[in-house]
Amino acid sequence: GTHTFSVRYGLMQETETHPAITAGVQVKYNMGRKRLKKVLTGFGYDASWGMDFSLTASKTWLVANRPLSVSGGLRVSNSADLGIFGFDKAYHLGAELGVSYEVCDGLTVGYEYRFKPDSYKKMSGVFETTESWHALTATYRANDNCNLTIGYGNFGTFGNSDAACAWMLQGHWAF
């Protein structure tokens, strides 16, 4: 599996006139691809670990007296299919976008887009064109300490197959 360690730092607080800006670093290590290293090396595989660097801007506005939050960012990564197939020699630039809106008290809906670059050389039946991912979420906030999120994601392709679209259910309780 892929293990991830992430650090984010707030460079600028959000104000009325400008967005919050954060910078991040993710270190990813994939333990499960050592056996495939010989096969993947011919496609551009370089290592079982890699790093992502991100810069994100986020801004919230009131629309119809409800918060609308928009975030956009850039990610520089050498991950192949988010690190599932290891890490290649070159870094790639990709965009990310997130939007959420509180439609009524306690209910927020959101959309997320993440560009996935083509990391490896194409080979019919092994590595096809990579597709970006899209996700939709709905979060119910019961109170300041408890929320429940349901989501649906289309995660594009991984290797030579379409990644299964997936449902997600997450509960969160803060003490």
Side-chain angles (χ1 to χ4, degrees), residues 60-76:
T60 300
W61 297 273
L62 285 180
V63 175
N65 289 322
R66 303 256 178 221
L68 169 69
S69 298
V70 177
S71 65
L74 298 173
R75 178 177 300 270
V76 177

Side-chain angles (χ1 to χ4, degrees), residues 81-82 84 112 114 116 130-136 151-159 161-168:
D81 278 325
L82 309 175
I84 291 170
E112 181 181 344
R114 183 168 175 181
K116 284 180 18 189
T130 300
E131 296 171 349
S132 299
W133 74 5
H134 305 268
L136 298 170
Y152 179 78
N154 178 338
F155 301 106
T157 56
F158 285 89
S161 64
D162 288 335
C165 296
W167 287 95
M168 178 269 300

Side-chain angles (χ1 to χ4, degrees), residues 95-141:
E96 299 175 359
L97 172 70
V99 178
S100 66
Y101 183 68
E102 186 179 271
V103 293
C104 63
D105 288 344
L107 180 62
T108 302
V109 295
Y111 169 77
E112 181 181 344
Y113 166 82
R114 183 168 175 181
F115 173 77
K116 284 180 18 189
D118 285 326
S119 298
Y120 291 155
K121 299 175 192 173
K122 306 298 169 285
M123 181 176 184
S124 182
V126 180
F127 288 105
E128 305 291 345
T129 300
T130 300
E131 296 171 349
S132 299
W133 74 5
H134 305 268
L136 298 170
T137 59
T139 300
Y140 172 69
R141 188 183 72 250

Side-chain angles (χ1 to χ4, degrees), residues 31-100:
M31 295 173 56
R33 297 298 168 232
K34 290 181 180 179
R35 290 174 283 172
L36 292 176
K37 184 175 181 178
K38 290 180 183 176
V39 174
L40 294 175
T41 299
F43 295 99
Y45 177 94
D46 186 50
S48 58
W49 72 277
M51 296 177 72
D52 289 6
F53 304 92
S54 63
L55 188 64
T56 305
S58 303
K59 182 79 174 125
T60 300
W61 297 273
L62 285 180
V63 175
N65 289 322
R66 303 256 178 221
L68 169 69
S69 298
V70 177
S71 65
L74 298 173
R75 178 177 300 270
V76 177
S77 176
N78 68 338
S79 300
D81 278 325
L82 309 175
I84 291 170
F85 287 114
F87 305 88
D88 65 6
K89 295 175 179 147
Y91 277 83
H92 308 278
L93 179 64
E96 299 175 359
L97 172 70
V99 178
S100 66

